[in-house]
Amino acid sequence: MSPLFGRRAGLRWLHLLLGGALLMPYFLVGTVIVGLYRPDTDVFTSPTAQLTAFACALPMAAVTALLPLARPLSASAARALCGLPPDRPLAEGPARTGQARIRSAAWFTLHLGLGGILGGATLALVPFAGGLMVLPFFTAVRDSPVFRLPAALDGPWAPVLAPVAGLAMLLALAGCATAAGAVLARRAPVLLGPTPDDRLAAAERRAADLAVRNRLARELHDSVGHALSAVTLQAGAARRVLDSDPAFVREALTAIEATTRRTVGELDAVLGLLREGEDQGYDEDGPHRPTLDALDGLLAHCGIPVECVKRGDPGSIPPAVSREAYRIVQEGLSNALRHGGSGTRADLRITADAGGVEITMDSPLPGRRAVTRPGGGRGLRGIAERAALLGGTADWGPDADGVWRLAVRLPPHRPGQEHR
């Protein structure tokens, strides 16, 4: 009896009764329409008039189901009550396209139609079947005009068969409800499932979320990774000369303090972007990210000697390009620091002109070969991604002079934006 009276069958039956309840306003409007054209007919006692009102109610329900919000409401009820298979998801948002609205209207009409039939049958048959089942035991029920049998059936065997007939009615009603619930469960993924446009929109949202995560990961990698490399190198150098050169140790500790303070501020800004992104989306042009104007502070505490030559006016480039250029320089210094050790140095050249920003960084190759660790490359990939997002280029590798060279070229503005 579980398929007829189990939990899933009960939930589907409740879903059908909900559809019948939703049909009632449309049915009442249908009775008004029938009463206007057939004023001499009692709509509530005439089966023909009731069927006509039912037929008028369904088109009205279908029209109202064309509203965009009808789909998420129907999907929520179907997901909770229909016992759908987990591998057949339903659409999440409102129906925006014509195809999605037509599918939602078809589902809403099917739900209300089956629900109206089963709801009416439940209200009529359940009390009648209950009365038949207790007919042999209560004289008041036998004498009631509702259960008075025709003369041809009013025999001595009628009270004996009445409970069987009542039970058969309940079983038939349960079977019809189970069949109708199964029809709705099979049709729900088809009519309320995502359309091709919905799948495309979901894929675009996933791609946008992944791009946000990648941007935040680059920010954390460049900011925190550079700070950790600089602090590690400075702390190691201070440890080696702790007893012999206290002045150098004090200078190293000062640099560590400045580096960590700056990095904590940058980390807080990135985490702020992440918190804001939960509600408003990630703003890659946020005002808290450092630009090339803050480059002097970065070079002063990066942990290695850097000879920097600036040509043009880096402050004249757009803030979005300047922020990415700062991160590229920071990651280039991190690579030199991480792979070159305390004996390395870097030569940095930044040229800003009408053609964009060109960044070139050279560091000695032998030291890099001495301490290069396997499994790296995320920083260089991050540099390439930053340059590509701006429509620029990034190249790196050893040259003929035994120098590891990083060369990045950024356009004066991002693709699709006017130069500011």
Side-chain angles (χ1 to χ4, degrees):
M1 302 298 290
S2 177
L4 296 180
F5 298 101
R7 182 178 182 275
R8 185 174 67 175
L11 290 176
R12 289 179 176 178
W13 203 333
L14 178 61
H15 188 238
L16 289 166
L17 294 179
L18 176 62
L22 292 174
L23 182 67
M24 284 304 298
Y26 304 102
F27 179 76
L28 293 177
V29 174
T31 60
V32 173
I33 295 175
V34 174
L36 291 176
Y37 286 94
R38 299 180 61 182
D40 56 337
T41 302
D42 186 354
V43 178
F44 295 100
T45 59
S46 171
T48 302
Q50 291 183 7
L51 289 176
T52 304
F54 180 79
C56 294
L58 294 180
M60 290 187 288
V63 171
T64 57
L66 294 174
L67 297 174
L69 290 179
R71 184 173 71 170
L73 295 176
S74 298
S76 298
R79 191 179 293 110
L81 300 175
C82 272
L84 304 177
D87 59 337
R88 301 295 300 276
L90 301 183
E92 296 291 341
R96 299 298 185 186
T97 63
Q99 181 185 16
R101 294 184 181 184
I102 291 174
R103 288 184 180 183
S104 299
W107 163 264
F108 194 70
T109 306
L110 178 64
H111 180 205
L112 268 60
L114 293 178
I117 295 173
L118 264 296
T122 300
L123 293 176
L125 286 182
V126 171
F128 186 76
L132 288 178
M133 293 176 70
V134 301
L135 184 65
F137 310 105
F138 296 95
T139 305
V141 176
R142 289 196 300 268
D143 296 338
S144 173
V146 177
F147 297 98
R148 186 171 298 169
L149 299 177
L153 300 178
D154 191 9
W157 44 267
V160 178
L161 295 180
V164 178
L167 180 60
M169 288 181 183
L170 290 180
L171 291 176
L173 179 61
C176 292
T178 301
V183 169
L184 289 179
R186 286 195 298 268
R187 291 295 92 192
V190 177
L191 299 177
L192 295 178
T195 64
D197 292 331
D198 294 327
R199 294 189 178 92
L200 178 60
E204 291 175 347
R205 287 194 298 269
R206 287 193 297 269
D209 292 340
L210 182 60
V212 169
R213 292 173 58 186
N214 287 338
R215 285 196 292 268
L216 290 173
R218 284 196 302 269
E219 289 294 316
L220 291 174
H221 176 274
D222 293 349
S223 177
V224 178
H226 170 79
L228 291 177
S229 298
V231 167
T232 300
L233 180 63
Q234 291 162 346
R239 178 181 55 81
R240 287 192 294 269
V241 298
L242 181 61
D243 298 326
S244 60
D245 194 349
F248 178 83
V249 174
R250 284 193 296 269
E251 182 180 350
L253 292 176
T254 302
I256 290 174
E257 181 184 5
T259 301
T260 53
R261 183 181 294 110
R262 184 184 69 250
T263 304
V264 167
E266 294 180 5
L267 180 61
D268 183 68
V270 173
L271 294 178
L273 292 175
L274 181 59
R275 287 190 295 268
E276 293 173 3
E278 294 176 355
D279 300 324
Q280 304 174 0
Y282 173 73
D283 182 11
E284 64 176 308
D285 294 333
H288 303 294
R289 295 172 57 195
T291 64
L292 288 178
D293 295 335
L295 190 60
D296 293 339
L298 174 66
L299 299 181
H301 302 288
C302 67
I304 59 174
V306 180
E307 181 179 347
C308 179
V309 177
K310 299 179 183 179
R311 297 186 179 92
D313 182 13
S316 64
I317 63 176
V321 179
S322 182
R323 281 187 281 267
E324 299 300 332
Y326 177 92
R327 291 302 190 195
I328 288 172
V329 172
Q330 186 181 49
E331 182 55 34
L333 293 174
S334 296
N335 284 338
L337 183 65
R338 186 180 303 116
H339 300 296
S342 59
T344 192
R345 59 184 304 278
D347 295 324
L348 175 64
R349 295 182 297 279
I350 300 177
T351 302
D353 53 29
V357 181
E358 184 174 349
I359 301 170
T360 304
M361 184 180 298
D362 296 335
S363 57
L365 189 58
R368 206 175 259 277
R369 282 177 175 166
V371 297
T372 297
R373 287 170 275 183
R378 292 187 182 88
L380 293 176
R381 287 200 301 269
I383 290 175
E385 290 173 359
R386 290 182 183 277
L389 287 175
L390 294 173
T393 59
D395 298 299
W396 57 80
D399 63 7
D401 299 329
V403 172
W404 180 272
R405 173 164 295 174
L406 171 67
V408 179
R409 181 77 182 181
L410 304 178
H413 56 85
R414 288 183 293 177
Q417 288 189 344
E418 296 297 331
H419 178 70
R420 328 183 254 185

